[in-house]
Amino acid sequence: MKKIARFIAVGSALVVLGSMSVFASGGKETSGGKVKIGLSMDSLESQFWVANYDAMVAKAKAMDIELVSVMAEGDAAKQNQQIENLIAQKVTAIIIAPKDGSAIVAAVKKAQAAGIPVIMNNRPIQGTVQPELSVLSDNYTMAKEVLKWFAEKAKKDGKKYKTILLIGNLADENAVERQKGHKEIIAAYKDIFEVVSEIPSEWNHEVALKGLQNALQANPDVNLIITPSDFLYPPIRSALEQVNRWVKIGHPNHIAIVSFDGDEGGMQYLKDGYSWADAAQGASFTGEYCIDWAVKLSKGEKPANPTYRDPGIIVTMDNFNEVAPKVWSFSSLK
Amino acid sequence: MNVTGKKTHPDPSRFVQENSILVFLLAAVLASIVFVPNFLSSYNLKNFFLQASDLLIIACGLTFVVLNGGIDFSVTSVLALGSVIGAYVMAISPLAPFPAIAIPVGIIATIAVGALIGALNGFSITVLKMPSFIATLATQLVFSGIAILFTSKVATRASINGLPEPFFVIGGEGKYFLIPITLAAIVFLASNFLLQFTGFGRNVLSVGTNPKASFISGISVKKTIFILCLLSGTYAGIASVIATSRNQAGIASLGDKMFISIIASIVIGGTSIAGGSGGFKQTLFGVLFITLINNTMNLLGIEWYITMLFQGVLILVAAFADYLMRVRRNQRGR
């Protein structure tokens, strides 16, 4: 029985290993200038990343390019190992959406030492090592612009806001930049915003929910939540529902929300009148842009500028009908 | 020798039966050589053994605990906290400008973190009579949280970079790749020696098989368990030094998702999760097998979700095999 059990355990591994080599998409040796792109993702934790990933897969398919993707599941060390494996299979370019902009440095150095160009997808690298291209959202400017629109509207209406400021994960440069943009506008419009609570969410729903529950308990007169991502809508909605404040614009219990990302959830709440504004990133566009440039870099082309900053789209309750159709998630809205 | 407390005889069929994981590992290596492009490249072979080295060290520590019938969830928090404390000493503390002092102190600090957490686990289990499952789950949560808190206070991000270049030698950078592999080999051989040729090793197996009978026969059960916890934590500290050096950063989330690979290596290798049966040789084969699966699947370009699914199935099947063996042992015992 022991023999049989072990045979099942490990024998099945062998069978699958052998058969997978036949069906694997990336099993062929790169030769004769063939483009083979490695894609290292952190995780598909939000709709933004799903749309970004899907766009890259679709673009590679449309261009008939071999794309080998690995997923780090939120583990920075695992991501570095996976990139080493991509280097070992001699990909011609690597697109990286890093878990941690600092911890990814070692892997980028190894790729470049092996002569493989690197593109940072949406999240920048920290330190002195420079990738061949960084495709980033202009998080700082977008965060500023969306909150500035809200501040100007409040100024015109003569309103003041007791504010909860949600923060992402400080390992994520995007979260840092968005926080910086938000804080700069809050400081510039001191007479409008009074921040009663800052909640570090660590990009974690439970952490955000607990922080929101506590902040709403301590400050029942809050009337604005600024969130650095639509990803945090589930805890925001849950916390507001618990205090009967998940209501549409115009209702006396309404709490205004200013968000970031432009994903299906955030845009739907904007359309339905729960949210006031959303700074939408180009999830699909930047994904396609990464593939385009991975192919060009594989063929030896160099970008004129090593950083591309996607300006994004500021969608508000005032310009929704006119601007929202340009956002990647618009076709999914009900 | 399979450590089951019984002396084995040189019987080839029995050898194959007891070392089926080795037979399948060799067959899997052969399959990889035939089917997996670039598997035999020097870059990949170097990667393979480097990726196995820290996993082997941490798995050896946990094997002690599992052989004893316990579990240690806190090893991943040792990886994280040890990593950021060591990185702090080397990159931020007042010692940082003096690498010749900062590096050894950082290494000692990292290993000391492991020993301290291990000792705390040992205290909780032996003195406070907490089950290892609860005690180590609690310390895992506490020290993972402290790792994130500590990093956010000293570095404002979830990782610390700027470590001194000479430290990267321990992680196997460039021509020094044999260093972590040698360290792993020393830890493995020392563990095997401890288990097979010392009274302590016999005590570990005896307590794992039957703690009450061990106590009656004069074995200090508490002391044995305490030393095991200390060893497990210390080994995780050593693994943390290598992983930190390899990633060239102190990472607060280091090892976050690693536990599944550690326990999979032990279980697939053939050490019983119920204790009393198994050994380090099995863990070595399990580590090599798990590393091989990850490596070859990446090299084959197999989609990440299939890799995850496959690993999960492997663990389930191995756990089922372990269950069948225990049932069989129980039937024999009647």
Side-chain angles (χ1 to χ4, degrees), chain A residues 60-245:
Chain A
K61 201 174 172 188
M63 293 175 79
D64 195 24
I65 295 298
E66 191 175 348
L67 182 72
V68 185
S69 57
V70 288
M71 193 68 59
E73 301 160 64
D75 185 336
K78 184 174 179 179
Q79 186 165 35
N80 284 353
Q81 286 196 353
Q82 289 176 332
I83 292 170
E84 286 168 358
N85 291 340
L86 289 175
I87 298 168
Q89 57 177 296
K90 297 175 183 168
V91 293
T92 53
I94 303 179
I95 300 168
I96 305 172
K99 157 74 182 167
D100 182 324
S102 298
I104 203 70
V105 171
V108 172
K109 275 160 75 176
K110 282 174 192 164
Q112 291 182 329
I116 301 170
V118 172
I119 298 175
M120 303 309 292
N121 174 23
N122 195 265
R123 291 177 181 163
I125 193 168
Q126 301 301 314
T128 52
V129 174
Q130 284 307 314
E132 277 65 20
L133 179 64
S134 297
V135 179
L136 310 171
S137 291
D138 196 345
N139 291 287
Y140 167 69
T141 310
M142 287 166 69
K144 266 176 68 174
E145 289 299 316
V146 72
L147 198 55
K148 190 178 173 188
W149 169 85
F150 184 86
E152 286 294 336
K153 193 171 178 66
K155 200 173 173 183
K156 209 189 300 178
D157 297 345
K159 285 193 173 177
K160 292 186 175 183
Y161 286 92
K162 286 208 169 183
T163 305
I164 292 175
L165 178 63
L166 279 161
I167 299 164
N169 184 334
L170 296 177
D172 177 1
E173 189 61 21
N174 292 349
V176 175
E177 289 293 305
R178 289 173 206 174
Q179 182 195 23
K180 201 171 135 193
H182 287 148
K183 284 196 163 179
E184 206 166 297
I185 294 298
I186 288 168
Y189 291 86
K190 271 186 221 159
D191 50 333
I192 290 171
F193 300 113
E194 183 197 344
V195 178
V196 293
S197 178
E198 283 187 28
I199 303 169
S201 71
E202 298 166 30
W203 291 143
N204 181 313
H205 281 171
E206 277 195 45
V207 174
L209 178 61
K210 282 174 189 160
L212 280 164
Q213 285 168 330
N214 294 339
L216 288 166
Q217 184 78 28
N219 308 282
D221 52 348
V222 160
N223 52 358
L224 170 65
I225 294 175
I226 302 168
T227 170
S229 172
D230 291 340
F231 167 71
L232 295 174
Y233 260 114
I236 292 173
R237 179 174 178 166
S238 173
L240 292 183
E241 279 177 343
Q242 286 167 30
V243 291
N244 297 318
R245 299 201 65 184

Side-chain angles (χ1 to χ4, degrees), chain A residues 93 112 117-120 130-135 289-290 292-309:
Chain A
Q112 291 182 329
V118 172
I119 298 175
M120 303 309 292
Q130 284 307 314
E132 277 65 20
L133 179 64
S134 297
V135 179
Y289 193 85
C290 284
D292 266 337
W293 266 102
V295 174
K296 287 177 185 171
L297 286 166
S298 298
K299 292 176 177 170
E301 204 174 320
K302 299 266 183 274
N305 189 335
T307 304
Y308 171 77
R309 287 196 184 276

Side-chain angles (χ1 to χ4, degrees), chain B residues 209-276:
Chain B
T209 311
N210 192 334
K212 277 187 185 167
S214 305
F215 179 74
I216 292 163
S217 46
I219 293 171
S220 174
V221 175
K222 281 186 178 179
K223 188 177 159 192
T224 305
I225 292 174
F226 186 86
I227 295 172
L228 288 175
C229 292
L230 195 64
L231 279 175
S232 179
T234 307
Y235 278 29
I238 297 169
S240 178
V241 172
I242 294 175
T244 304
S245 168
R246 202 161 142 65
N247 289 292
Q248 302 185 1
I251 305 173
S253 62
L254 188 66
D256 243 11
K257 305 279 176 359
M258 197 175 173
F259 194 78
I260 195 75
S261 293
I262 304 166
I263 201 73
S265 302
I266 295 168
V267 174
I268 289 171
T271 294
S272 170
I273 40 179

Side-chain angles (χ1 to χ4, degrees), chain B residues 11-310:
Chain B
D11 173 0
S13 67
R14 191 185 173 94
F15 176 83
V16 171
Q17 190 180 336
E18 289 181 349
N19 294 279
S20 50
I21 177 68
L22 174 62
V23 175
F24 285 108
L25 174 66
L26 291 174
V29 169
L30 199 66
S32 300
I33 291 169
V34 175
F35 294 116
V36 183
N38 301 311
F39 178 74
L40 277 184
S41 72
S42 59
Y43 187 91
N44 188 57
L45 289 178
K46 192 176 84 177
N47 261 351
F48 176 80
F49 287 108
L50 282 174
Q51 289 176 4
S53 56
D54 50 345
L55 180 60
L56 176 61
I57 292 172
I58 201 164
C60 279
L62 191 60
T63 301
F64 271 121
V65 180
V66 171
L67 280 170
N68 193 249
I71 190 74
D72 184 355
F73 290 113
S74 71
V75 287
T76 55
S77 67
V78 172
L79 283 173
L81 187 60
S83 178
V84 294
I85 297 273
Y88 168 78
V89 172
M90 287 182 265
I92 299 174
S93 78
L95 290 176
F98 314 103
I101 304 167
I103 293 174
V105 173
I107 291 170
I108 291 166
T110 304
I111 298 171
V113 165
L116 278 172
I117 295 176
L120 184 63
N121 287 335
F123 177 80
S124 306
I125 295 164
T126 57
V127 179
L128 304 179
K129 309 278 184 202
M130 288 170 77
S132 63
F133 178 83
I134 302 293
T136 61
L137 196 58
T139 45
Q140 192 272 333
L141 286 171
V142 169
F143 292 106
S144 295
I146 291 176
I148 293 168
L149 183 70
F150 175 79
T151 314
S152 67
K153 294 292 175 199
V154 300
T156 70
R157 294 179 196 284
S159 59
I160 300 169
N161 52 9
L163 304 183
E165 291 273 338
F167 175 62
F168 302 154
V169 165
I170 296 169
E173 191 182 56
K175 60 183 179 184
Y176 301 103
F177 65 94
L178 280 175
I179 290 180
I181 297 168
T182 308
L183 280 172
I186 291 169
V187 167
F188 164 74
L189 291 170
S191 306
N192 209 30
F193 178 82
L194 264 180
L195 188 70
Q196 291 199 16
F197 301 107
T198 66
F200 170 73
R202 283 188 290 278
N203 291 352
V204 170
L205 291 165
S206 172
V207 174
T209 311
N210 192 334
K212 277 187 185 167
S214 305
F215 179 74
I216 292 163
S217 46
I219 293 171
S220 174
V221 175
K222 281 186 178 179
K223 188 177 159 192
T224 305
I225 292 174
F226 186 86
I227 295 172
L228 288 175
C229 292
L230 195 64
L231 279 175
S232 179
T234 307
Y235 278 29
I238 297 169
S240 178
V241 172
I242 294 175
T244 304
S245 168
R246 202 161 142 65
N247 289 292
Q248 302 185 1
I251 305 173
S253 62
L254 188 66
D256 243 11
K257 305 279 176 359
M258 197 175 173
F259 194 78
I260 195 75
S261 293
I262 304 166
I263 201 73
S265 302
I266 295 168
V267 174
I268 289 171
T271 294
S272 170
I273 40 179
S277 163
F280 292 98
K281 198 172 63 183
Q282 284 85 341
T283 296
L284 170 68
F285 299 150
V287 164
L288 293 175
F289 194 79
I290 285 289
T291 309
L292 185 74
I293 293 296
N294 281 326
N295 180 255
T296 50
M297 287 212 166
N298 283 167
L299 288 182
L300 285 168
I302 288 167
E303 290 296 340
W304 53 274
Y305 45 84
I306 296 176
T307 308
M308 281 169 72
L309 188 148
F310 185 51

